Amino acid sequence: MSELIGRYIRITGIVQGVGFRPFVYRLAKQHQLTGWVKNTSAGVEITVSGHPNNIEEFETQLPLQAPSLSRIDQFTSYPIASDHFSDFRIIESQEIDTAFIPISPDISICEDCFRELFNPADRRFLYPFINCTNCGPRFTIIKDIPYDRPNTTMAGFPMCPACSDEYHDPENRRFHAQPVACPACGPQVWLEKRDASLFPNESFLEKPVIQVAQEQLLAGNILAIKGIGGFHLACDALNPNAVSTLRKRKGRVDKPFAVMMADIDTIKKHCYITPAEIELLVSRERPIVILPRKPESPIAAEVAPRQLTIGVMLPYTPLHYMLFYNYTRQSYASFPLEVLVMTSGNRSEEPIATDNNLVHEQLNELADIYLMHNRPIYIRCDDSVSRVIHLNDGKSQSYPIRRSRGYAPNPIRLDWELPQILACGAELKNTFCLTRETYAFLSHHIGDLENFETYQSLTDGIEHYEKLFRIKPEVIAHDKHPNYLSTHYALQRAKEENLTLIPIQHHHAHVASCLAENHWENNTPVIGVSFDGTGYGDDGAIWGGEFLVASYTNFERYAHLQYFPLPGGDRSIRFPARIALSYLYSRGINWSESLPSYNSLCAEERQLLKSQLDHRINLVETSSMGRLFDLVAALLDIRQRINYEGQAAIELEAIADPIVTETYPFETLSRGQGLEIDVFPMILHIIEDTQLGLIPASQISARFHNTIAEITLQTCTQIHKNRGIKTVALSGGVWQNMTLLTKVISLLEQAGFNVIIHHEVPTNDGGISLGQAVIAGFMVKNMAL
């Protein structure tokens, strides 16, 4: 018999709250090993003793059979003396002051818990907070590491004997599942009226609370429903009056609502769906997925006005599934409710509500009834939004629009180490990013920094991440726009803590974000095509139609759309009519009643605009591609005013005829060492086509999209001829336009370019902070400050 040996193993990554220790326990028992496993603030540590062959097989199987929710980032192993333990144990966690580990995101309900939820024989039958080590809340309940129950918002719920037995049994899938609970000892649900009194009165409480909630939804009421990361506002999506009421109360005139459907079969009834989209919908992250809507669907048109698509998600918590449960038949079938609007529970532009004590103050003007629970939410987290890109080669990939619940705070892994950096993100769709070693912790969705409440959410989020991941920033990166609240935060904090401050150009950060998530390992330049609505340029203008030759450390503005005037600066975004008229006036085109934009403004507005242009009052020059889309939408009379960001461009894309292949003319002009793209010839043709009425708006829209794609191809081709660069990175909010994105990818790849796009972080400003962090890291590394 061979001599016993010992082995010490340390594993870092997402290895807490995912069933890793019980997995190690079972594997050690299987291989007849003794020793122990424990959580630390740095990950998981293991000591084993046994026969050499058994230990070798144990080490081989550890990464191969690890729990599906785990992610091993580093595996360290070395020999130690055999201690001749009598058995294998899971021992008490150890806190290490400066150590850190990644934290698991919140995970949708697993199949085992789903079966138990609807099994009348199970003690957790219809319990809205059923969970195990394979599912349930993580990020939104954790206060600190290690991830143990006292460090979560479940600390106030002592376990009953039955739950405690499961929690302490290494063979049970609820072993050390920190949110574990049951009806006898865990959180509860109830209904409240607007005055915070119970609804209905006590004589009706023998009916299940969630069944009463169903009845209220079917009656056309709007419910505020507390979920895993905040409140939703919900109503019956098949009831036009209910949806219209919700829109009116929330002041959300046209912006689409997301919906939740009971299962994939229900989604197939209302939407066209591909296998790749099904895979994304049923994934453990359960994002909202943008799908083409079937014209015969009875979903109220008010859910997504003038849209061909709709944002759909499946239930992801037990409570959500119970909203669709058939209490009469006691089955998850023949759903009383088929489709629910599930939109963020907040007043316009404010963060999503999370606090039971404040929710009535925040939502009483919006909700009729509140479906409450008493499990505290420590950090708010909105739903994630994604879509699937279907490429010409038959391949598909996910394309994130908003990265939040289910994904955050999963780090983006980098191929190099960075110092501890805080990147503060942009103004719209704000996220922040903190780096440590090879991890870039991109935050959950914060929102638009347009008020104190959202700014407070940013500062609270930064403080929480720094505490969780033991990060003390040495450097702060921020956008160059002087008026962004994120910039003000960076300037103030850098001054207070004497930190190095690095301003990052907006579109450079877009490109770097795309490079980082695609593991662009070296610092060689690429062609960065950054199209968006607003980004502060180095010359003080508003950029947004940019062709950059960019690496992590620097960039050159090789080409851009020719400047045109933006009256009122960023405020003009809501008035495409003003953008269109200003452009035409700057190019010597007289306004007339034949222009829809002319007729959308009163005489006084037109006179004020003309005076503003003549005297260059509050006038900013822009090269923004997003504003060009607005301009064309106004010329086609699709949208003269907007009430949510990107509305004009979204509606312009929605009408584009996919069969059309023609383009409009444009010119490329040499200006100094760079190029300017003059789209005035295209604009003249669009005006002519519109006024003659011989070409429908759907074809004009298609030709416009084709022209922008052709501009992209020709400009990239010219850069390649001069610089020899064959890789193109596409980043910026305009690339959320699937029509343009797929056309451009196809044209560039046919021309031999290597095209990289986003697949982990949003192409919009939600991904900016990652780019800021990476650029700042390289600048520090290269002493290029």
Side-chain angles (χ1 to χ4, degrees):
M1 178 178 287
S2 60
E3 185 178 347
L4 299 181
I5 65 169
R7 201 83 181 166
Y8 169 83
I9 301 168
R10 185 169 68 89
I11 300 173
T12 63
I14 300 177
V15 289
Q16 293 187 20
V18 293
F20 203 88
R21 285 177 300 168
F23 154 70
V24 172
Y25 173 90
R26 290 189 294 270
L27 192 64
K29 289 283 191 180
Q30 178 185 331
H31 290 87
Q32 300 176 343
L33 303 178
T34 60
W36 50 260
V37 59
K38 68 179 179 182
N39 277 347
T40 75
S41 302
V44 166
E45 293 184 10
I46 306 165
T47 294
V48 290
S49 290
H51 294 290
N53 289 343
N54 291 7
I55 288 181
E56 181 180 354
E57 185 64 20
F58 173 77
E59 285 194 291
T60 300
Q61 294 301 318
L62 265 175
L64 295 178
Q65 297 183 12
S68 60
L69 298 182
S70 68
R71 188 181 80 185
I72 295 176
D73 294 333
Q74 190 174 49
F75 189 104
T76 303
S77 172
Y78 56 81
I80 58 172
S82 175
D83 284 341
H84 301 286
F85 298 100
S86 59
D87 60 5
F88 193 89
R89 297 180 181 179
I90 298 173
I91 65 173
E92 187 175 346
S93 299
Q94 176 187 0
E95 185 167 354
I96 304 171
D97 287 342
T98 59
F100 78 104
I101 57 167
I103 302 296
S104 169
D106 301 317
I107 302 297
S108 62
I109 183 173
C110 68
E111 292 182 5
D112 290 329
C113 286
F114 179 83
R115 283 192 294 269
E116 293 172 351
L117 178 66
F118 295 120
N119 178 6
D122 192 276
R123 73 187 187 94
R124 292 185 176 88
F125 174 56
L126 296 183
Y127 181 56
F129 305 98
I130 187 172
N131 66 85
C132 69
T133 54
N134 299 319
C135 67
R138 301 286 194 277
F139 172 59
T140 52
I141 65 169
I142 187 170
K143 296 180 177 180
D144 203 352
I145 57 173
Y147 177 61
D148 291 324
R149 195 177 181 99
N151 287 332
T152 74
T153 61
M154 287 298 294
F157 296 93
M159 286 179 279
C160 67
C163 285
S164 181
D165 287 345
E166 294 172 327
Y167 182 87
H168 291 100
D169 179 5
E171 301 288 352
N172 194 290
R173 81 173 199 278
R174 292 191 169 90
F175 174 77
H176 277 233
Q178 307 307 334
V180 68
C182 73
C185 65
Q188 303 294 319
V189 295
W190 68 93
L191 289 167
E192 288 182 2
K193 301 176 184 177
R194 285 178 171 173
D195 63 2
S197 63
L198 289 178
F199 176 91
N201 61 42
E202 293 183 5
S203 63
F204 291 95
L205 290 181
E206 65 273 8
K207 186 178 288 188
V209 168
I210 295 181
Q211 185 178 4
V212 177
Q214 283 182 348
E215 293 171 354
Q216 294 303 311
L217 288 164
L218 286 166
N221 285 316
I222 296 166
L223 266 65
I225 300 174
K226 188 178 182 182
I228 202 167
F231 280 83
H232 283 105
L233 291 169
C235 68
D236 183 357
L238 305 186
N239 184 333
N241 290 332
V243 180
S244 295
T245 299
L246 178 55
R247 282 204 175 279
K248 182 178 178 181
R249 290 181 184 178
K250 202 172 182 186
R252 190 163 169 168
V253 181
D254 292 310
K255 190 176 183 179
F257 288 137
V259 298
M260 180 177 284
M261 300 191 192
D263 60 9
I264 291 295
D265 286 340
T266 304
I267 295 176
K268 288 179 177 178
K269 177 180 175 182
H270 297 280
C271 300
Y272 301 104
I273 187 169
T274 66
E277 287 160 342
I278 292 175
E279 183 179 353
L280 185 57
L281 281 161
V282 303
S283 68
R284 66 194 187 200
E285 293 85 3
R286 294 286 170 96
I288 297 167
V289 179
I290 309 299
L291 298 174
R293 174 177 168 172
K294 289 183 176 179
E296 67 270 21
S297 167
I299 292 175
E302 292 83 358
V303 168
R306 290 172 293 283
Q307 297 298 303
L308 301 177
T309 58
I310 190 166
V312 182
M313 61 180 156
L314 288 170
Y316 55 87
T317 71
L319 187 150
H320 291 146
Y321 272 105
M322 291 169 64
L323 289 169
F324 296 97
Y325 180 72
N326 192 318
Y327 282 85
T328 303
R329 298 189 180 186
Q330 288 203 341
S331 66
Y332 194 74
S334 304
F335 310 114
L337 285 161
E338 192 171 312
V339 187
L340 287 174
V341 166
M342 292 289 267
T343 190
S344 55
N346 58 347
R347 289 182 295 218
S348 180
E349 309 306 331
E350 290 186 4
I352 187 171
T354 60
D355 192 327
N356 290 3
N357 296 321
L358 299 175
V359 69
H360 286 280
E361 177 186 336
Q362 295 169 321
L363 301 183
N364 261 9
E365 296 176 357
L366 308 179
D368 298 306
I369 300 163
Y370 294 78
L371 178 54
M372 308 284 283
H373 68 71
N374 59 340
R375 183 178 66 200
I377 297 169
Y378 192 74
I379 194 82
R380 62 174 49 88
C381 199
D382 292 78
D383 292 318
S384 295
V385 183
S386 190
R387 65 189 312 161
V388 172
I389 307 173
H390 303 288
L391 302 172
N392 293 332
D393 59 4
K395 295 179 181 178
S396 299
Q397 73 162 68
S398 61
Y399 195 65
I401 306 299
R402 183 167 72 201
R403 182 185 184 272
S404 201
R405 176 193 50 78
Y407 298 94
N410 261 351
I412 307 300
R413 289 302 307 278
L414 304 174
D415 296 319
W416 56 87
E417 289 198 1
L418 291 181
Q420 295 187 21
I421 296 171
L422 166 62
C424 296
E427 184 87 341
L428 301 180
K429 298 179 175 63
N430 178 266
T431 62
F432 61 87
C433 184
L434 284 155
T435 63
R436 179 173 176 174
E437 299 173 7
T438 60
Y439 293 101
F441 293 99
L442 184 67
S443 79
H444 54 294
H445 172 75
I446 302 297
D448 296 347
L449 296 179
E450 296 180 339
N451 51 55
F452 173 77
E453 291 81 6
T454 311
Y455 180 79
Q456 188 66 49
S457 183
L458 169 66
T459 59
D460 290 347
I462 291 172
E463 181 180 348
H464 185 51
Y465 272 63
E466 289 180 0
K467 179 182 178 183
L468 274 186
F469 304 120
R470 308 297 195 254
I471 294 174
K472 187 174 177 58
E474 308 159 23
V475 174
I476 298 185
H478 66 88
D479 194 279
K480 284 189 172 182
H481 199 301
N483 297 326
Y484 281 0
L485 285 178
S486 56
T487 300
H488 287 299
Y489 172 86
L491 295 174
Q492 181 178 346
R493 184 165 176 191
K495 181 179 180 181
E496 291 173 354
E497 301 181 20
N498 194 28
L499 301 176
T500 300
L501 194 66
I502 303 179
I504 307 291
Q505 201 282 320
H506 189 90
H507 301 95
H508 186 200
H510 265 308
V511 175
S513 173
C514 187
L515 295 180
E517 69 157 282
N518 282 281
H519 301 279
W520 189 253
E521 295 184 15
N522 49 43
N523 199 27
T524 56
V526 301
I527 302 170
V529 185
S530 186
F531 291 169
D532 66 0
T534 299
Y536 191 78
D538 286 347
D539 58 359
I542 301 298
W543 294 4
E546 310 305 312
F547 293 85
L548 308 180
V549 174
S551 65
Y552 290 121
T553 52
N554 51 56
F555 74 93
E556 173 192 349
R557 192 187 192 198
Y558 194 99
H560 60 87
L561 287 182
Q562 193 173 62
Y563 283 139
F564 56 93
L566 201 61
D570 289 345
R571 293 184 179 180
S572 66
I573 291 171
R574 295 198 174 274
F575 301 98
R578 291 170 55 88
I579 298 171
L581 292 178
S582 298
Y583 180 89
L584 297 178
Y585 192 75
S586 71
R587 300 306 294 254
I589 302 295
N590 293 324
W591 300 341
S592 69
E593 294 181 0
S594 63
L595 295 169
S597 298
Y598 178 90
N599 298 313
S600 73
L601 301 180
C602 68
E604 183 180 359
E605 288 175 316
R606 293 194 297 268
Q607 185 57 45
L608 286 173
L609 177 59
K610 186 173 289 188
S611 177
Q612 187 176 6
L613 292 166
D614 286 337
H615 297 92
R616 302 193 65 79
I617 300 171
N618 193 21
L619 206 64
V620 178
E621 295 295 320
T622 186
S623 59
S624 167
M625 183 63 75
R627 301 293 77 82
L628 180 61
F629 271 78
D630 292 345
L631 189 163
V632 173
L635 292 177
L636 298 185
D637 202 20
I638 292 170
R639 183 59 59 179
Q640 302 298 338
R641 300 185 180 212
I642 65 169
N643 52 71
Y644 67 88
E645 186 200 7
Q647 182 179 13
I650 290 169
E651 294 182 6
L652 178 63
E653 181 192 5
I655 68 165
D657 186 338
I659 300 175
V660 172
T661 59
E662 292 89 350
T663 62
Y664 287 118
F666 62 91
E667 294 182 10
T668 301
L669 310 173
S670 294
R671 291 287 188 268
Q673 296 184 347
L675 303 176
E676 288 186 1
I677 296 136
D678 185 4
V679 296
F680 187 50
M682 175 184 72
I683 297 300
L684 291 177
H685 277 77
I686 289 175
I687 293 172
E688 182 180 0
D689 288 345
T690 302
Q691 293 181 348
L692 290 176
L694 299 177
I695 299 178
S698 60
Q699 292 188 22
I700 298 174
S701 173
R703 290 183 180 186
F704 168 70
H705 281 83
N706 294 342
T707 304
I708 302 304
E710 186 63 27
I711 287 172
T712 305
L713 173 63
Q714 289 192 23
T715 307
C716 289
T717 300
Q718 189 157 349
I719 296 173
H720 167 63
K721 288 180 180 178
N722 290 337
R723 300 296 175 84
I725 303 172
K726 290 291 284 186
T727 296
V728 179
L730 306 178
S731 188
V734 168
W735 296 114
Q736 294 172 123
N737 182 315
M738 291 296 101
T739 299
L740 180 63
L741 179 65
T742 53
K743 285 178 184 293
V744 166
I745 291 174
S746 177
L747 287 174
L748 289 174
E749 289 184 341
Q750 288 174 23
F753 286 97
N754 171 40
V755 182
I756 56 176
I757 61 174
H758 290 273
H759 55 90
E760 282 196 77
V761 307
T763 190
N764 56 47
D765 282 4
I768 281 275
S769 60
L770 174 63
Q772 292 174 341
V774 172
I775 292 170
F778 268 85
M779 293 177 74
V780 170
K781 179 180 178 182
N782 296 337
M783 302 298 291
L785 296 179

